[in-house]
Amino acid sequence: MSLALKQQKRARRHRRVRAKVSGTEARPRLSIFKSNTRLVAQIIDDAKGTTIAHASSADEKAKTPRERAEAAAATLAKRAKEKGVKAVVFDRGGFQYLGTVKAFADAARAAGLEF
């Protein structure tokens, strides 16, 4: 499968997810992007169009991509709590909910974010 086709399929899945998921001031959107080397997450208030908190697995010092994603989730949850965010809606960005994405979500829940 060519790279362009993979990107088109993910973009189509992401559009489907975004049609149903939107962040508000009470429950902002936790959006993720996963590449081959890192996972980047943001908490976004779509009503205002602002990013409340962000974290990247590239900043973490763990061995495996899964461990770095879990550490990034803990960092993001800590930053979100400092800004007063407790509950979010999860936007998986068109990626399948397994592997690194699932590990990130579970670690974010364990760190105190509700979704």
Side-chain angles (χ1 to χ4, degrees):
M1 184 179 312
S2 70
L3 179 62
L5 183 60
K6 276 185 167 182
Q7 290 172 339
Q8 289 172 352
K9 285 181 158 189
R10 189 189 77 79
R12 194 174 316 134
R13 285 191 304 269
H14 190 119
R15 280 194 304 271
R16 264 197 319 263
V17 169
R18 285 290 289 128
K20 300 169 188 162
V21 174
S22 179
T24 63
E25 192 170 341
R27 281 180 71 105
R29 176 170 54 101
L30 170 55
S31 175
I32 63 163
F33 174 77
K34 183 177 72 98
S35 72
N36 287 340
T37 57
R38 65 193 64 190
L39 184 135
V40 180
Q42 303 178 75
I43 296 180
I44 303 166
D45 180 358
D46 288 319
K48 293 180 182 174
T50 58
T51 299
I52 299 168
H54 72 283
S56 173
S57 65
D59 301 334
E60 306 300 332
K61 302 289 187 223
K63 289 189 174 192
T64 66
R66 180 174 288 201
E67 290 171 351
R68 287 193 299 271
E70 290 170 349
T75 302
L76 181 69
K78 186 181 108 193
R79 290 177 182 169
K81 284 181 185 176
E82 290 171 357
K83 302 280 177 113
V85 175
K86 294 179 183 173
V88 297
V89 291
F90 189 63
D91 174 10
R92 60 187 173 87
F95 298 102
Q96 289 184 334
Y97 187 79
L98 52 84
T100 307
V101 174
K102 185 175 186 308
F104 178 88
D106 292 340
R109 282 190 194 101
L113 286 178
E114 298 173 7
F115 58 95

